[in-house]
Amino acid sequence: MEMESQPETTSNSGFRSLQSSITAAFLLLVCFVLLFSTVLETYSSIQTQRQLIDKQHGLIAQEAAGKVSAFFDRIALRMKMLVRLHDPIAVDPAELHLDLEKLLGSESAIRHLLVLRADGTKLDEISRLSSLSAGALDAHIDSYHFGRVLGGETAFTPVYIDEVTSEPLIIVGVPAKNALGDTNAAMFAELNLKFIWTLVAELRIGDEGLAYLVDETGRLIAADDVNRVLSGERLTHLTEVQRFLGALGPPHEDFTDFWQRGFTGDYVVARHASLENQPWALVVETPVREAFSATIHKAWYSLLILALSLTLAVIAARYLATRVTKPIVSLRDATHRIAQGERSVRLDLRLKNEIGDLAHSFDHMVSVLDRTTVSRDSLAAEVSERRRAEEAAAEAKKQAEDASVAKSRFLANMSHELRTPLNAIIGFTTLLEDSKLDGVQRDYVSTVRGSGNVLLSLINDILDISKVEEGRLELERIPFEIEHVVETVLQIVRPRVSGSPIELIHDISDIPPWFLGDPTRVQQILLNLLSNAIKFTPRGRIAVDVRIDESDRKGAGHPGLRRTLRISVRDSGIGIPRDKLATIFEVFVQADTSTTRRFGGSGLGLAITKAFVERMGGRIWVESEPEQGSEFIFTLELEQCASPEQGAPDDRGSLSGRGVGIVTSNGDIAGSLRETCRREGLVVRFVSATGAEARKALQGLSSEEPSIDALLVDLDLPDQTGTELAEAIHGQDRWRNVRVIALTHDLLTEVAERDPFQGYVTRPVLRSELRSALAQALGGRESTAEADRDGTPSAKARRGGDDTLSGLRILVAEDNTVNLRLVRQLLERMGAREIEEASNGREALDAARRERFDLILMDVQMPEMNGLEATQAIREQVDAEVPIIALTAGALQEDRRHALDAGMTDFLTKPVDRTELRRVLVLHTSPSGKRLER
Ligand code: ADP
């Protein structure tokens, strides 16, 4: 239970609650202000009071001093009046004595009176005391004072103490003048200073203040306390007395010496005033306590207020601090609770100030936090959900990919397994077709062979589409001749239209002959389109058109340039419904299921075609009109290249300049043929539609030199047969040597092979066939093999076997005995007589060790040692040169690559096509390797 985690701050030792801080600060401030003001006020009050007291004391002292002076003045005046009234020398001594007695009687302060002549002799004397002690008085009047009095001054002696009574006494002397104004006597009076005591004692100075009189030596003369006066005490230790005696300066302005020890020893405020007729001073003092009682009262009062204010301040501070800190504390607690995961925390402080604002903002923040936390939670949930989905998807993808790999493996294996028996079926039916059969048998056999071919193309299609879908379609990049590709396809499909009312024509306009690319795939595209066209065209015309696309304006171009080829296949067939146009390029889509049932097909062809075209950087589209026909157009991006057959004899050379005439009513054929001739270097002298026209044209030709070498005659002319026309021409001496070549459909070759024709070409006329037919007819050469290569094998076969391979020793390695037999048959038909057999790679290697072969045909998949291993062994141990041709049911590009990597010379796919077999064998056994290639 670690829930009780306090916020950082409280555990911090330096932590001071905000509340106490605020309170302390507030108190300090108030304290400071109050104290400051109190001190200031007290100070100024003391100052004022001091000045006041000072002034008061001054006045009192002055007044008292005046009174004391007046006492002496009065006595001196009465004495002067007495001696002025009666000259003491001249007057009657009794009268003088009476005067003296009167004076003594009226002035109780006078104790003794003495009148002396100027020479010092006594004139009269009177005393209040019982026994006269004049001597005592005389003793205190010294010559100095006597002299001063005789000089006309009123003089006082210093104070002295009577030994008996201990009273302070003083003697005052006044001069006595005669009528002439001369001083002839002096009058002295001894004064008891006790009489000024009362005067001084009666002075009222406040409640406790007092006054005292000191003489010029600092001795106390008069004070309330008689004993101290009588003891003759000197007060020179008191500040105010010292000041009077001149030992100190005037009082300091800053009143540092304002407080002083007073008469009774207390702290007092004092002031003195000097007497006018005596060198004495009257000192007035008031105890500080009394002098500043008002101020002290005030100070106490201030202190009281201070304390009260402080109490109030404490209360106010606490209240304020609580008001400020309480919301902050609840804010802190709230954040603490939020941190612990509580979400429903709300402050709800309805304060109309900044703190209220803060609380409001906090509540808002918490609600936003709440929302975002909720959305974050759901987001997190969503994310993990999505991640799960992604993982599932990835897993599914992986499974799908695995499945796809497995599928393609399976397909490759299946196709391999299917090809092997198909190889036997097609191969043997082909051989069977060549043997002696009656009509029904031949029909059955050709049906078997056709079905085998359909099956084969289906296998091929499925293999192709699986490769396309896996994205594993690999394209070759080799030089090829576009015209050769087109003619090969035409050659393949031509049998399918022979005998049907379909005219197959082609037009290859000015295009560069050689390109870099994959001829097999181009051929496949064209074959698919042409097969479809033938399938869906009951009658009419199918035209193949090859040209450089209009967008490509590079002229003749040069090797290395990328060109855009545009190839179209147009038919006049059933067309495609408008709504199907968009989808027919998709896998397994067929425009019309009813037509499909009628025509067969898998719906894969166009999908494969499209994939191939697009891989070659082109595009394919269709334009079609139901019942009018369709046109499939595709473009290809190919790199133009130079002819790889550098230095080969120019085909044109042999026939160029020879004159020919064309006789056919079919304009398409005429046009196409004319173009083919032109490209072959022949000079077309005329084109006629009928036999009559042709004869007329011949007549019109110049007779000097036979400017015509051959006639190409359609077997089927509107006015007569081709045979008739040929015979008619040969009947005339002039044209006897003109060679007549029949233009025929495949099926009619029987007619064309006979006289009066010197050769035949099948429609559509392929350039290669035209060339060989003309060469043969004009040169008279026997060139069966050549003709054979060019695609009329059945005709040649029917003439009997050939000797293409005669004299060659051939080794065939094949584990399947049926296929072995088939290959053997095929080879024997090509004239091979020495054929060695091996049923696996090891046997083949042993045979190769034993004897020398001119050629080895090697199956790839064999028990014990497969074809690739056997080939490698032969290459390394026996013969690096002998041509080894792979013979395999594996139709994939990589199968081919593996074969070539293992050292094989070439590659043949099962089922073995007889023509292809012948081509490859001839290619690799002829001394030049090009004997028949030209
Ligand atoms: P299939 O193997 O069925 O011919 P394709 O993919 O080659 O498959 O063709 C798909 C469909 O397109 C065909 O079934 C047909 O309905 C239509 N089609 C293709 N070419 C033509 C054409 N030249 N004329 C009319 N319809 C065509």
Side-chain angles (χ1 to χ4, degrees), residues 686-700:
F686 61 85
V687 179
S688 308
T690 62
E693 258 182 54
R695 283 200 299 275
K696 208 188 268 160
L698 278 173
Q699 299 293 343

PDB file of all heavy atoms in Angstrom, residues 686-700:
ATOM      1  N   PHE A 686       3.645  -6.363-113.286  1.00  0.00           N
ATOM      2  CA  PHE A 686       2.197  -6.095-113.364  1.00  0.00           C
ATOM      3  C   PHE A 686       1.462  -6.888-112.312  1.00  0.00           C
ATOM      4  O   PHE A 686       1.985  -7.883-111.786  1.00  0.00           O
ATOM      5  CB  PHE A 686       1.643  -6.410-114.756  1.00  0.00           C
ATOM      6  CG  PHE A 686       1.816  -7.851-115.152  1.00  0.00           C
ATOM      7  CD1 PHE A 686       0.872  -8.822-114.768  1.00  0.00           C
ATOM      8  CD2 PHE A 686       2.914  -8.254-115.917  1.00  0.00           C
ATOM      9  CE1 PHE A 686       1.058 -10.147-115.136  1.00  0.00           C
ATOM     10  CE2 PHE A 686       3.077  -9.576-116.291  1.00  0.00           C
ATOM     11  CZ  PHE A 686       2.156 -10.538-115.901  1.00  0.00           C
ATOM     12  N   VAL A 687       0.231  -6.470-112.045  1.00  0.00           N
ATOM     13  CA  VAL A 687      -0.679  -7.212-111.171  1.00  0.00           C
ATOM     14  C   VAL A 687      -1.982  -7.369-111.933  1.00  0.00           C
ATOM     15  O   VAL A 687      -2.580  -6.371-112.344  1.00  0.00           O
ATOM     16  CB  VAL A 687      -0.925  -6.451-109.850  1.00  0.00           C
ATOM     17  CG1 VAL A 687      -1.896  -7.224-108.985  1.00  0.00           C
ATOM     18  CG2 VAL A 687       0.364  -6.200-109.106  1.00  0.00           C
ATOM     19  N   SER A 688      -2.366  -8.584-112.161  1.00  0.00           N
ATOM     20  CA  SER A 688      -3.595  -8.809-112.918  1.00  0.00           C
ATOM     21  C   SER A 688      -4.586  -9.585-112.087  1.00  0.00           C
ATOM     22  O   SER A 688      -4.214 -10.421-111.257  1.00  0.00           O
ATOM     23  CB  SER A 688      -3.293  -9.618-114.181  1.00  0.00           C
ATOM     24  OG  SER A 688      -2.240  -9.008-114.888  1.00  0.00           O
ATOM     25  N   ALA A 689      -5.890  -9.333-112.334  1.00  0.00           N
ATOM     26  CA  ALA A 689      -6.932  -9.989-111.548  1.00  0.00           C
ATOM     27  C   ALA A 689      -7.415 -11.283-112.224  1.00  0.00           C
ATOM     28  O   ALA A 689      -7.910 -12.177-111.557  1.00  0.00           O
ATOM     29  CB  ALA A 689      -8.104  -9.047-111.332  1.00  0.00           C
ATOM     30  N   THR A 690      -7.251 -11.353-113.556  1.00  0.00           N
ATOM     31  CA  THR A 690      -7.751 -12.543-114.278  1.00  0.00           C
ATOM     32  C   THR A 690      -6.674 -13.103-115.194  1.00  0.00           C
ATOM     33  O   THR A 690      -5.651 -12.441-115.437  1.00  0.00           O
ATOM     34  CB  THR A 690      -8.964 -12.171-115.157  1.00  0.00           C
ATOM     35  OG1 THR A 690      -8.519 -11.222-116.126  1.00  0.00           O
ATOM     36  CG2 THR A 690     -10.086 -11.585-114.315  1.00  0.00           C
ATOM     37  N   GLY A 691      -6.940 -14.325-115.725  1.00  0.00           N
ATOM     38  CA  GLY A 691      -6.008 -14.960-116.647  1.00  0.00           C
ATOM     39  C   GLY A 691      -5.857 -14.138-117.918  1.00  0.00           C
ATOM     40  O   GLY A 691      -4.751 -13.936-118.426  1.00  0.00           O
ATOM     41  N   ALA A 692      -6.991 -13.636-118.398  1.00  0.00           N
ATOM     42  CA  ALA A 692      -6.954 -12.854-119.629  1.00  0.00           C
ATOM     43  C   ALA A 692      -6.108 -11.600-119.457  1.00  0.00           C
ATOM     44  O   ALA A 692      -5.255 -11.275-120.297  1.00  0.00           O
ATOM     45  CB  ALA A 692      -8.393 -12.471-120.009  1.00  0.00           C
ATOM     46  N   GLU A 693      -6.348 -10.951-118.340  1.00  0.00           N
ATOM     47  CA  GLU A 693      -5.576  -9.712-118.050  1.00  0.00           C
ATOM     48  C   GLU A 693      -4.096 -10.019-118.001  1.00  0.00           C
ATOM     49  O   GLU A 693      -3.274  -9.273-118.521  1.00  0.00           O
ATOM     50  CB  GLU A 693      -6.012  -9.158-116.700  1.00  0.00           C
ATOM     51  CG  GLU A 693      -6.950  -7.985-116.780  1.00  0.00           C
ATOM     52  CD  GLU A 693      -7.279  -7.473-115.371  1.00  0.00           C
ATOM     53  OE1 GLU A 693      -6.329  -7.186-114.601  1.00  0.00           O
ATOM     54  OE2 GLU A 693      -8.478  -7.385-115.048  1.00  0.00           O
ATOM     55  N   ALA A 694      -3.796 -11.146-117.407  1.00  0.00           N
ATOM     56  CA  ALA A 694      -2.400 -11.524-117.231  1.00  0.00           C
ATOM     57  C   ALA A 694      -1.749 -11.756-118.592  1.00  0.00           C
ATOM     58  O   ALA A 694      -0.632 -11.283-118.839  1.00  0.00           O
ATOM     59  CB  ALA A 694      -2.299 -12.783-116.393  1.00  0.00           C
ATOM     60  N   ARG A 695      -2.471 -12.455-119.453  1.00  0.00           N
ATOM     61  CA  ARG A 695      -1.891 -12.709-120.784  1.00  0.00           C
ATOM     62  C   ARG A 695      -1.681 -11.414-121.531  1.00  0.00           C
ATOM     63  O   ARG A 695      -0.671 -11.178-122.160  1.00  0.00           O
ATOM     64  CB  ARG A 695      -2.817 -13.658-121.564  1.00  0.00           C
ATOM     65  CG  ARG A 695      -2.674 -15.114-121.097  1.00  0.00           C
ATOM     66  CD  ARG A 695      -3.191 -16.064-122.156  1.00  0.00           C
ATOM     67  NE  ARG A 695      -4.596 -15.834-122.415  1.00  0.00           N
ATOM     68  CZ  ARG A 695      -5.568 -16.374-121.686  1.00  0.00           C
ATOM     69  NH1 ARG A 695      -5.291 -17.163-120.665  1.00  0.00           N
ATOM     70  NH2 ARG A 695      -6.812 -16.122-121.966  1.00  0.00           N
ATOM     71  N   LYS A 696      -2.638 -10.535-121.355  1.00  0.00           N
ATOM     72  CA  LYS A 696      -2.533  -9.235-122.036  1.00  0.00           C
ATOM     73  C   LYS A 696      -1.326  -8.456-121.495  1.00  0.00           C
ATOM     74  O   LYS A 696      -0.554  -7.887-122.264  1.00  0.00           O
ATOM     75  CB  LYS A 696      -3.804  -8.411-121.804  1.00  0.00           C
ATOM     76  CG  LYS A 696      -4.084  -7.434-122.937  1.00  0.00           C
ATOM     77  CD  LYS A 696      -5.240  -6.512-122.578  1.00  0.00           C
ATOM     78  CE  LYS A 696      -6.556  -7.071-123.047  1.00  0.00           C
ATOM     79  NZ  LYS A 696      -7.677  -6.449-122.307  1.00  0.00           N
ATOM     80  N   ALA A 697      -1.159  -8.512-120.246  1.00  0.00           N
ATOM     81  CA  ALA A 697      -0.030  -7.804-119.631  1.00  0.00           C
ATOM     82  C   ALA A 697       1.287  -8.374-120.130  1.00  0.00           C
ATOM     83  O   ALA A 697       2.234  -7.632-120.414  1.00  0.00           O
ATOM     84  CB  ALA A 697      -0.105  -7.924-118.118  1.00  0.00           C
ATOM     85  N   LEU A 698       1.335  -9.681-120.246  1.00  0.00           N
ATOM     86  CA  LEU A 698       2.558 -10.320-120.750  1.00  0.00           C
ATOM     87  C   LEU A 698       2.860  -9.875-122.178  1.00  0.00           C
ATOM     88  O   LEU A 698       3.998  -9.564-122.508  1.00  0.00           O
ATOM     89  CB  LEU A 698       2.406 -11.838-120.718  1.00  0.00           C
ATOM     90  CG  LEU A 698       2.676 -12.532-119.364  1.00  0.00           C
ATOM     91  CD1 LEU A 698       2.316 -14.004-119.451  1.00  0.00           C
ATOM     92  CD2 LEU A 698       4.137 -12.375-118.971  1.00  0.00           C
ATOM     93  N   GLN A 699       1.780  -9.812-122.961  1.00  0.00           N
ATOM     94  CA  GLN A 699       1.941  -9.374-124.340  1.00  0.00           C
ATOM     95  C   GLN A 699       2.545  -7.978-124.374  1.00  0.00           C
ATOM     96  O   GLN A 699       3.385  -7.674-125.224  1.00  0.00           O
ATOM     97  CB  GLN A 699       0.580  -9.329-125.073  1.00  0.00           C
ATOM     98  CG  GLN A 699      -0.164 -10.649-125.169  1.00  0.00           C
ATOM     99  CD  GLN A 699       0.550 -11.650-126.055  1.00  0.00           C
ATOM    100  OE1 GLN A 699       1.428 -11.284-126.859  1.00  0.00           O
ATOM    101  NE2 GLN A 699       0.234 -12.942-125.927  1.00  0.00           N
ATOM    102  N   GLY A 700       2.097  -7.179-123.482  1.00  0.00           N
ATOM    103  CA  GLY A 700       2.513  -5.765-123.481  1.00  0.00           C
ATOM    104  C   GLY A 700       3.968  -5.558-123.089  1.00  0.00           C
ATOM    105  O   GLY A 700       4.520  -4.490-123.293  1.00  0.00           O
TER     106      GLY A 700
END
